[in-house]
Amino acid sequence: MERFLKIKELDIARLNNYEYISFMSRVIAFIPPSQSRHNGEHNPALIGVPQELYERFVKEVDHLQYDSDLTVMGDEIRVTTEVPVRDDRIDKLVCYIWTRVVTVAKLSLEKERKAGLALMPVITPFADFSQKPMSEGVTIIDKVLKNLEVEIYAPHLALLGLNGYLAELKKGNEAYKAKVLQRQREISLLKQKESSVLIRKRIDEIYADFTLITQSYNAIKPSEVSRKYIFILNELVTQMGALLKRRDTLRRKKEERLRAIANGEPLPPPKPRKKTRRRRRRY
């Protein structure tokens, strides 16, 4: 009597998100197509799987890959907008404007000294700008620029040649605020995405039902198609199992090496590579 084919077990919880999605996508991709269907669409009925379960399977795997709280790159959430802790260009512009005004306020040249003294009260918040966080700095810049729009300061700014620097400072400040706002929007969108942990739990349940139905159907109504599918799936499970075993071995060796270094023990010599004989070409 022929023994029933069983689908090999795999500890899918140990797969990282990239490996998990790759594995589940291939489980779906291996489902045989029906010749009566157009474009080679999968026909889960050939392996006994209900259409509703198949569609849920596909939907959840797509949901995990394209619409969850992760992107499949290193298993971490990535925000595309990078916002530096400080903006070097803004710091330099603020420093120059502050230094320029303070310097001329101490000069003996009457016109420039008066201009510097007139501007000093307005730009005083720039004094320790570099010591303040950028979240506070952008507000300080907005306030100073707003105050400098008063007409009485216009001739002083023109005399000291600061209008161009102030325009660049405003431009840089607006660009920095836009980056911060974009980053906040992206983080907010990520938080609205469903947790990949919850999606994986649902896929785990679907996969358990999927494999149970498939091997049961092949036991009751064996066919070449269902047998071939189970053989292919078992080969995939074997490959993933070997990957996990190899990872465990590498991790164990790394831990042993670190432990030996910490205890001052000599490290084991590397294993010599096996020499391979070169075949001589016959002419």
Side-chain angles (χ1 to χ4, degrees), residues 24-174:
M24 292 301 174
S25 297
R26 284 191 280 175
V27 170
I28 294 170
F30 291 150
I31 295 174
S34 175
Q35 293 181 354
S36 62
R37 297 197 174 197
H38 300 290
N39 302 323
E41 292 180 356
H42 296 141
N43 186 2
L46 293 175
I47 55 175
V49 175
Q51 184 69 23
E52 183 270 337
L53 181 64
Y54 163 75
E55 290 176 356
R56 277 173 49 214
F57 198 2
V58 174
K59 181 181 177 182
E60 292 292 358
V61 173
D62 285 347
H63 186 24
L64 177 63
Q65 184 171 4
Y66 301 113
D67 197 27
S68 66
D69 62 357
L70 60 89
T71 54
V72 190
M73 289 183 64
D75 302 308
E76 61 181 4
I77 298 174
R78 293 183 178 267
V79 180
T80 57
T81 305
E82 295 295 333
V83 182
V85 177
R86 299 207 62 81
D87 190 307
D88 187 57
R89 181 169 175 77
I90 289 177
D91 283 341
K92 287 179 179 178
L93 285 168
V94 169
C95 180
Y96 174 80
I97 294 166
W98 165 252
T99 304
R100 173 78 170 136
V101 172
V102 171
T103 301
V104 298
K106 297 176 182 178
L107 293 176
S108 57
L109 297 173
E110 188 67 16
K111 285 185 177 181
E112 290 191 352
R113 186 168 63 83
K114 283 184 177 180
L117 291 172
L119 294 172
M120 276 286 289
V122 186
I123 67 162
T124 298
F126 283 175
D128 55 350
F129 182 85
S130 62
Q131 305 301 318
K132 293 183 172 65
M134 282 301 293
S135 56
E136 183 180 349
V138 292
T139 305
I140 291 173
I141 292 172
D142 283 340
K143 184 178 180 181
V144 171
L145 292 177
K146 182 68 176 176
N147 292 337
L148 288 175
E149 289 178 358
V150 180
E151 290 185 9
I152 59 173
Y153 298 122
H156 303 314
L157 294 173
L159 179 65
L160 300 183
L162 292 176
N163 286 322
Y165 294 99
L166 290 172
E168 281 298 309
L169 180 59
K170 183 176 182 179
K171 182 180 176 181
N173 200 44
E174 292 300 322

Side-chain angles (χ1 to χ4, degrees), residues 201-230:
K201 284 183 178 179
R202 293 200 299 268
I203 296 175
D204 288 350
E205 294 174 357
I206 294 173
Y207 178 73
D209 293 343
F210 180 90
T211 52
L212 179 61
I213 292 172
T214 300
Q215 68 181 17
S216 300
Y217 181 81
N218 183 68
I220 298 169
K221 294 182 178 181
S223 69
E224 185 61 30
V225 174
S226 60
R227 277 197 299 269
K228 185 178 178 181
Y229 179 77
I230 293 177

